[in-house]
Amino acid sequence: MTTYVITVPGTFLREVPESVCSDIGRSLRPRDPRNTELGENEELSLLTVEEDGRFAARVEVGATDRSQAEAEAVRLVSRALRDSGLAEEEASLGAAVVTGIDSEF
């Protein structure tokens, strides 16, 4: 099993209150990349939101390969958005990207 730090970019398609962003962060907190050496060293933020609605969620995922890790990260972020009260059409997600890998040999 390999630990990946995955970045999932997206755009809020309407103005999102700070309380919703806090809810998203709380939902993703167990997957905070700061729990990894890379996340700690790079001071990666769990959720970054720009003024124009663009955002990036960074999560730690354990998976056997990159494809599985990216798919799991998108699933986690999608669920966090939905659990925070956002409908699918209110926040579009981009392609997940591997930000870091920490494998044990």
Side-chain angles (χ1 to χ4, degrees):
M1 180 77 66
T2 301
T3 300
Y4 293 84
V5 175
I6 306 289
T7 299
V8 180
T11 303
F12 293 123
L13 302 175
R14 67 171 176 87
E15 190 171 331
V16 176
E18 180 58 38
S19 61
V20 171
C21 292
S22 293
D23 289 345
I24 295 166
R26 266 192 299 284
S27 181
L28 294 173
R29 183 67 52 210
R31 301 299 187 129
D32 193 334
R34 289 189 185 177
N35 295 328
T36 66
E37 187 175 329
L38 172 75
E40 186 178 315
N41 290 341
E42 299 295 324
E43 299 180 12
L44 295 177
S45 298
L46 181 62
L47 181 66
T48 305
V49 181
E50 302 296 328
E51 289 182 21
D52 62 0
R54 290 178 295 129
F55 67 89
R58 293 170 194 85
V59 293
E60 171 189 344
V61 177
T64 55
D65 63 36
R66 174 184 168 170
S67 177
Q68 183 185 26
E70 291 171 343
E72 176 66 6
V74 169
R75 187 185 68 73
L76 289 167
V77 173
S78 293
R79 184 175 52 199
L81 293 169
R82 203 172 46 249
D83 290 351
S84 298
L86 293 173
E88 190 173 323
E89 59 274 359
E90 294 177 303
S92 66
L93 296 179
V97 177
V98 174
T99 306
I101 300 173
D102 181 25
S103 61
E104 295 180 20
F105 294 99

